[in-house]
Amino acid sequence: MLELTNVDAFYGNSRALQGVNVRVGAGEFLSVLGRNGVGKTTMMRAILGLMDRVTGELRLDGRDLAGLPTHLRAKAGIAYVPQGRGILPRFTVRENLTLGTFAAPADKAVLDEEVFELFPVLRDFLGRNGGNLSGGQQQQLAIARALQARPRIILLDEPTEGIQPNIVEQIEEVITRLNRERGIAVVLVEQNVRFARRASTRFALLEKGRVVAEGSVSALTDDLVHRHMAV
């Protein structure tokens, strides 16, 4: 479904990804792991076309993404929930959700109210400004907004970071359901190894901009975690 082949990505003249090869099949759940600053977010941004320069091949269902601007990559079926959530604080919950529909197929560019089954609190806050929500509620809104595009693959950058524990459990459950029940492929950047092991089908470990280990999640050993994630 999504393939990165020998991908390098640059901030100015600084190379942040080096020869990255990653594949995500239809309906798969890939966890991207590693210490802070090793290139995990950069990989997400490269997929979305948000880097200064990217070389190598990026393909979605065999289609070359290299020449596509970010909004057309979104329309092709890739949704993104960035680190920090990216909620527009002066827009209401409804307006934030509506923004997500702009990337949906033309026949589905209306508010998908199924997200209120996943995140019931959002229905009660439709008229409230996004900036007045708690951190956990904003993260729920960010995921719900991404789902408005009816994506086939969703990129999630540390969605549980800084969230209260009871909301973390809910968000983890929703992410797993999206993959298992709706068949949406997931690429998850996460520090929570236990969640990655529970939810993922495959993993990729990054170190200094390179993939140093990857495979079935059953191969994510404690030794790998200690060597490439321990501080």
Side-chain angles (χ1 to χ4, degrees), residues 37-140:
V38 299
K40 303 185 301 295
T41 295
T42 298
M43 192 180 91
M44 300 288 217
R45 291 175 58 83
I47 294 169
L48 265 294
L50 297 172
M51 296 296 295
D52 293 343
R53 181 163 60 95
V54 175
T55 61
E57 293 187 359
L58 279 162
R59 295 186 177 274
L60 181 67
D61 290 336
R63 180 186 183 187
D64 185 10
L65 297 176
L68 293 183
T70 298
H71 72 281
L72 290 183
R73 299 186 193 204
K75 282 184 173 293
I78 304 174
Y80 181 41
V81 179
Q83 191 176 25
R85 299 180 277 277
I87 293 302
L88 296 182
R90 295 187 180 182
F91 278 40
T92 65
V93 167
R94 182 184 294 279
E95 288 167 339
N96 271 281
L97 290 173
T98 300
L99 285 175
T101 67
F102 296 162
D107 61 338
K108 296 181 179 179
V110 294
L111 204 62
D112 177 10
E113 299 209 357
E114 287 187 17
V115 296
F116 300 130
E117 298 175 13
L118 299 172
F119 302 116
V121 69
L122 297 181
R123 188 191 299 276
D124 299 330
F125 292 160
L126 280 172
R128 183 175 296 189
N129 284 355
N132 293 333
L133 302 182
S134 70
Q137 291 163 351
Q138 287 187 4
Q139 188 61 273
Q140 293 176 68

Side-chain angles (χ1 to χ4, degrees), residues 92-193:
T92 65
V93 167
R94 182 184 294 279
E95 288 167 339
N96 271 281
L97 290 173
T98 300
L99 285 175
T101 67
F102 296 162
D107 61 338
K108 296 181 179 179
V110 294
L111 204 62
D112 177 10
E113 299 209 357
E114 287 187 17
V115 296
F116 300 130
E117 298 175 13
L118 299 172
F119 302 116
V121 69
L122 297 181
R123 188 191 299 276
D124 299 330
F125 292 160
L126 280 172
R128 183 175 296 189
N129 284 355
N132 293 333
L133 302 182
S134 70
Q137 291 163 351
Q138 287 187 4
Q139 188 61 273
Q140 293 176 68
L141 176 56
I143 296 172
R145 181 179 60 188
L147 294 175
Q148 296 301 317
R150 311 307 204 274
R152 293 182 296 130
I153 183 167
I154 186 167
L155 315 180
L156 297 153
D157 196 348
E158 300 206 26
T160 63
E161 183 183 36
I163 305 299
Q164 55 268 43
N166 62 316
I167 302 298
V168 166
E169 291 180 6
Q170 184 181 357
I171 289 173
E172 290 182 355
E173 179 186 352
V174 166
I175 293 169
T176 304
R177 286 180 59 189
L178 293 175
N179 177 249
R180 303 288 194 272
E181 298 175 12
R182 296 196 185 188
I184 298 174
V186 173
V187 179
L188 174 74
V189 166
E190 186 55 83
Q191 296 290 337
N192 186 334
V193 175

